[in-house]
Amino acid sequence: MKRFFTILLLMTAFYAQAQTEVELQDTTSAKFTAQSTPQLRISLGLPSSCLEFISFPRLQSYLEAYNAKPNLFVGYIPLQVNLLYNRFKFDLGINYSTTSGGKSYGSFESKSSANTANFTIGYAFLADRNNYFYLNGGIGYASYNQYITRVKASSNNLNYPLPNTLGQGVNFALNQPFMDFGIEFFNRTPQKSAGGSFKAGYRLGFNSVPWELKYSPSQDGLPSDKISNFYIQVMLHFGHKKL
């Protein structure tokens, strides 16, 4: 009888070990089947966890003629709703930025802000149970602002477009649709409902659009630019954990 219980314990231990190995092996590959359940997740970033490097060469040349420069950097607070299904990920997101800067140049200081909304579709070209690498593509709409403020007195009379009075400023605005391309690392574990993601991307405008000088009756001679900006984005996401 003692030998029977010994054999039973050994068989139980062997079975438990085999099950553990199967479970560990199962976590190394993602299962993409027609019966996969769609998952809804919410992604959120900290202030300036999305950074965009702006390129507006015609506005820059225009402002340099007045001894000023734009601020070619902006930080966002990103928020997204993600729907995951098999190898696909559908994202609906907004990026909100507070005014950032300022960059001093000559007699002026420049600050920037931008707000964007976008919809993208991602395809997991490489995936296991915990880690996904997506190629993303989509469309969006952006509103960029450049705030140019005089910080040094000058004898030059610059009533248009830049002010001559110390402390006064102007706001250049550009509103434009864009295409969005990117590559993204998306991590989640079966034991937890939270994970993280890192994305690097590029926004490209459909065509050049003229800048607007807000609160000014005259819009004469303002340059046109097309969005051509790189960005990086770090986010945390929460939601349904089951694969």
Side-chain angles (χ1 to χ4, degrees), residues 121-137:
I121 300 175
Y123 178 78
F125 64 94
L126 183 63
D128 61 27
R129 187 176 176 89
N130 298 336
N131 303 305
Y132 292 69
F133 290 87
Y134 288 98
L135 286 176
N136 298 317

Side-chain angles (χ1 to χ4, degrees), residues 53-58 60 72 225-230:
F53 307 94
I54 301 171
S55 175
F56 291 129
R58 292 180 179 176
Q60 183 168 343
L72 302 180
D225 270 312
K226 181 169 72 173
I227 295 172
S228 179
N229 304 334
F230 289 94

Side-chain angles (χ1 to χ4, degrees), residues 2-241:
K2 182 177 181 181
R3 180 177 294 180
F4 172 77
F5 281 111
T6 301
I7 295 174
L8 183 61
L9 288 173
L10 289 174
M11 292 179 63
T12 303
F14 177 79
Y15 177 79
Q17 178 65 24
Q19 286 296 104
T20 301
E21 291 179 356
V22 169
E23 290 175 0
L24 289 175
Q25 184 179 10
D26 184 57
T27 62
T28 63
S29 61
K31 294 181 179 179
F32 300 110
T33 67
Q35 289 76 33
S36 295
T37 303
Q39 302 168 45
L40 188 65
R41 304 180 76 85
I42 302 295
S43 297
L44 178 66
L46 299 174
S48 294
S49 60
C50 178
L51 307 176
E52 186 167 350
F53 307 94
I54 301 171
S55 175
F56 291 129
R58 292 180 179 176
L59 178 66
Q60 183 168 343
S61 297
Y62 179 81
L63 291 176
E64 284 177 350
Y66 295 91
N67 198 28
K69 276 188 176 182
N71 185 353
L72 302 180
F73 176 82
V74 67
Y76 297 101
I77 303 175
L79 173 64
Q80 286 185 354
V81 177
N82 317 119
L83 179 65
L84 286 73
Y85 182 68
N86 288 341
R87 286 186 178 269
F88 293 95
K89 183 163 73 75
F90 305 89
D91 300 330
L92 182 62
I94 58 173
N95 296 307
Y96 172 76
S97 78
T98 55
T99 303
S100 62
K103 176 182 176 64
S104 296
Y105 185 82
S107 301
F108 298 93
E109 180 185 71
S110 59
K111 297 181 179 181
S112 61
S113 72
N115 298 301
T116 69
N118 63 291
F119 172 76
T120 59
I121 300 175
Y123 178 78
F125 64 94
L126 183 63
D128 61 27
R129 187 176 176 89
N130 298 336
N131 303 305
Y132 292 69
F133 290 87
Y134 288 98
L135 286 176
N136 298 317
I139 57 173
Y141 191 84
S143 178
Y144 293 90
N145 290 275
Q146 291 287 334
Y147 306 92
I148 313 296
T149 304
R150 176 172 286 282
V151 293
K152 295 180 181 179
S154 174
S155 58
N156 295 328
N157 185 14
L158 298 175
N159 293 323
Y160 183 85
L162 302 185
N164 189 50
T165 304
L166 190 67
Q168 288 188 354
V170 292
N171 179 7
F172 292 88
L174 181 73
N175 302 308
Q176 187 176 140
F178 61 84
M179 295 175 286
D180 193 320
F181 308 97
I183 184 169
E184 181 178 11
F185 169 72
F186 195 91
N187 169 263
R188 57 198 173 109
T189 63
Q191 293 82 16
K192 298 179 181 180
S193 60
S197 68
F198 174 83
K199 180 180 180 181
Y202 175 67
R203 295 187 174 112
L204 177 65
F206 288 97
N207 56 279
S208 294
V209 174
W211 287 86
E212 298 178 5
L213 191 58
K214 283 193 171 182
Y215 316 116
S216 171
S218 177
Q219 305 292 324
D220 296 335
L222 295 179
S224 297
D225 270 312
K226 181 169 72 173
I227 295 172
S228 179
N229 304 334
F230 289 94
Y231 67 91
I232 58 174
Q233 181 174 292
V234 180
M235 304 182 75
L236 296 175
H237 54 86
F238 311 88
H240 184 44
K241 65 182 180 181

